[in-house]
Amino acid sequence: MPDLPEAKPVLVTGATGRIGKVVVADLIERGYAVRATTSKPLAADGGEVDGLLEWRRFDFMVDDDWDGLVNGCCAVLHLAAELGKMERMQQVNVEATRQLAEAAERQGIAAFCYASTVSVYGSGRQRLIDETSPVLTVDRDIASQYWALDYVRMYGRTKLAGELALRAVAKRTRFTILRPAVVVDINQLIGIRDWSPIKRLLAAHRHAHHIYVGDVSDAMIWFIVRGLAGRGLPGEVEVYNLAEDDCPDPRHIDFMRKAFSVSHDRRYKSVPIPAIADWLHDFLRFRTLPLRNPLWRMRFSNQRLKEAGYRFRYGMADAQRLALSTLEKSAGIREAER
């Protein structure tokens, strides 16, 4: 393992996002210096430095000093992505990823971890999905491959194009592509109570595909450290699903029932409709053939992740316990105030 306090900084793009905030904090806690990117203005022209944390303003739509961004770092953890605005996805998710990877190669970066997504699989014809399963057609939109809204399909295709860009660039740097499932924090687990009655009715029975943000951060750092330690071949590109679909109580309704029992909040009450009715709803909504599996029917294998030696630091069971504890405390405070 590298000498963490004396290591060069790890570049973290997308550092202000849901995952990025946790990754930056985890890296610093473990003794790494961090160079974090943001597109927001900084108070100092040359960036802001606070102990082990250095902020760099960098807009993936317009800035082009990729070598300057990467120079002096030991590794890159690329989280930045455009999730909603279709007109930005090609530049941010594909071109910027390619340019960042090329800079990493030129600057002799040892390890590069790219956050992709399980959306690259679209709506599979098979329910069990591993890293060898078919993926979306990357160069054109085929609506029947993914039962999703237009921007979601484009997000999946551009993230897959980002993966292919890494493969085209890879020569010396060790690249790891992680495909997370649905990343959640504690507040998002609790926030299920704010769903509309219709969404609770339709989605309660669904497999949530949740993976705790703390585990996503831990896994990404684990692979970075692995690459810095020289594991894997230079120029190698490894791909892993980052999912915990084999966790206990994986459905939304499972958590909702526990949450109601500790909080007595009726917003967690729901009677789920039969799964076949939900499937027919999706089929009629997207009207595509051949028949495929919506996301909630698919299962993402993490066997390759286990074979690499990684084990989740927390797990969804612990994340749910923390969320339930938070709800129970809040319910106790409300009761005491009455």
Side-chain angles (χ1 to χ4, degrees), residues 246-320:
D246 54 354
C247 69
D249 300 330
R251 300 175 305 163
H252 294 296
I253 192 66
D254 298 325
F255 176 76
M256 292 164 70
R257 287 168 176 162
K258 296 175 189 176
F260 178 73
S261 71
V262 301
S263 69
H264 308 294
D265 187 332
R266 296 197 62 82
R267 290 175 292 177
Y268 287 115
K269 295 286 285 183
S270 182
V271 178
I273 66 172
I276 186 62
D278 191 15
W279 185 90
L280 285 171
H281 171 266
D282 277 350
F283 172 68
L284 292 173
R285 182 184 185 190
F286 296 108
R287 296 179 180 273
T288 60
L289 290 171
L291 299 181
R292 289 177 178 265
N293 291 295
L295 175 69
W296 57 267
R297 277 181 55 87
M298 297 160 65
R299 301 292 182 268
F300 299 100
S301 170
N302 62 11
Q303 184 60 35
R304 180 176 289 182
L305 192 70
K306 293 177 180 178
E307 291 172 354
Y310 181 73
R311 298 294 182 270
F312 293 114
R313 184 178 186 182
Y314 304 100
M316 280 307 304
D318 280 352
Q320 287 191 8

Side-chain angles (χ1 to χ4, degrees), residues 184-191 212-213 318-320 322-324 326:
V184 293
D185 57 25
I186 300 304
N187 289 333
Q188 287 169 312
L189 281 174
I190 293 172
Y212 182 48
V213 66
D318 280 352
Q320 287 191 8
L322 183 55
L324 293 171
T326 302

Side-chain angles (χ1 to χ4, degrees), residues 73-75 104 108-112 172-175 227-228:
C73 294
C74 65
I109 299 299
F112 188 118
R172 295 180 298 166
T173 300
R174 294 173 176 85
F175 289 93
L228 291 175

Side-chain angles (χ1 to χ4, degrees), residues 29-329:
E29 181 182 356
R30 300 178 196 200
Y32 276 104
V34 175
R35 180 178 297 166
T37 70
T38 177
S39 59
K40 300 176 182 178
L42 298 173
D45 292 338
E48 295 178 347
V49 180
D50 181 12
L52 293 174
L53 177 59
E54 173 197 0
W55 283 101
R56 291 278 186 96
R57 184 184 183 187
F58 200 92
D59 188 336
F60 281 17
M61 289 295 293
V62 298
D63 290 330
D64 58 6
D65 185 13
W66 300 98
D67 285 87
L69 182 63
V70 171
N71 183 44
C73 294
C74 65
V76 174
L77 213 167
H78 183 29
L79 300 170
E82 177 57 54
L83 283 73
K85 297 179 179 178
M86 294 175 65
E87 68 275 11
R88 290 170 49 93
M89 288 185 185
Q90 180 66 29
Q91 173 60 33
V92 175
N93 298 350
V94 185
E95 300 306 324
T97 297
R98 177 184 292 108
Q99 291 169 312
L100 185 62
E102 290 173 344
E105 284 282 349
R106 288 191 298 267
Q107 294 295 323
I109 299 299
F112 188 118
C113 184
Y114 172 62
S116 186
T117 170
V118 294
S119 292
V120 302
Y121 298 112
S123 300
R125 296 187 185 183
Q126 302 297 322
R127 292 189 66 184
L128 182 61
I129 303 296
D130 63 22
E131 293 82 354
T132 66
S133 296
V135 293
L136 296 170
T137 299
V138 72
D139 58 352
R140 64 188 187 281
D141 182 26
I142 301 178
S144 63
Q145 290 183 342
Y146 197 179
W147 291 12
L149 299 175
D150 292 351
Y151 81 93
V152 178
R153 289 200 310 274
M154 186 168 184
Y155 174 69
R157 289 192 298 107
T158 54
K159 291 299 285 184
L160 179 59
E163 292 187 15
L164 297 178
L166 298 187
R167 293 184 181 278
V169 166
K171 293 181 178 65
R172 295 180 298 166
T173 300
R174 294 173 176 85
F175 289 93
T176 302
I177 296 169
L178 297 181
R179 294 170 175 169
V182 181
V183 183
V184 293
D185 57 25
I186 300 304
N187 289 333
Q188 287 169 312
L189 281 174
I190 293 172
I192 292 174
R193 66 188 174 189
D194 298 323
W195 285 359
S196 69
I198 295 298
K199 184 173 182 179
R200 286 201 300 272
L201 180 68
L202 286 174
H205 75 92
R206 293 177 178 177
H207 193 297
H209 298 299
H210 284 166
I211 181 166
Y212 182 48
V213 66
D215 287 319
V216 176
S217 172
D218 186 67
M220 291 176 172
I221 295 172
W222 189 86
F223 277 103
I224 285 291
V225 173
R226 185 172 178 260
L228 291 175
R231 295 286 301 276
L233 299 174
E236 186 175 28
V237 181
E238 297 181 311
V239 182
Y240 299 92
N241 288 340
L242 196 51
E244 197 188 357
D245 280 2
D246 54 354
C247 69
D249 300 330
R251 300 175 305 163
H252 294 296
I253 192 66
D254 298 325
F255 176 76
M256 292 164 70
R257 287 168 176 162
K258 296 175 189 176
F260 178 73
S261 71
V262 301
S263 69
H264 308 294
D265 187 332
R266 296 197 62 82
R267 290 175 292 177
Y268 287 115
K269 295 286 285 183
S270 182
V271 178
I273 66 172
I276 186 62
D278 191 15
W279 185 90
L280 285 171
H281 171 266
D282 277 350
F283 172 68
L284 292 173
R285 182 184 185 190
F286 296 108
R287 296 179 180 273
T288 60
L289 290 171
L291 299 181
R292 289 177 178 265
N293 291 295
L295 175 69
W296 57 267
R297 277 181 55 87
M298 297 160 65
R299 301 292 182 268
F300 299 100
S301 170
N302 62 11
Q303 184 60 35
R304 180 176 289 182
L305 192 70
K306 293 177 180 178
E307 291 172 354
Y310 181 73
R311 298 294 182 270
F312 293 114
R313 184 178 186 182
Y314 304 100
M316 280 307 304
D318 280 352
Q320 287 191 8
R321 279 193 289 269
L322 183 55
L324 293 171
S325 176
T326 302
L327 283 170
E328 190 170 20
K329 289 177 182 177

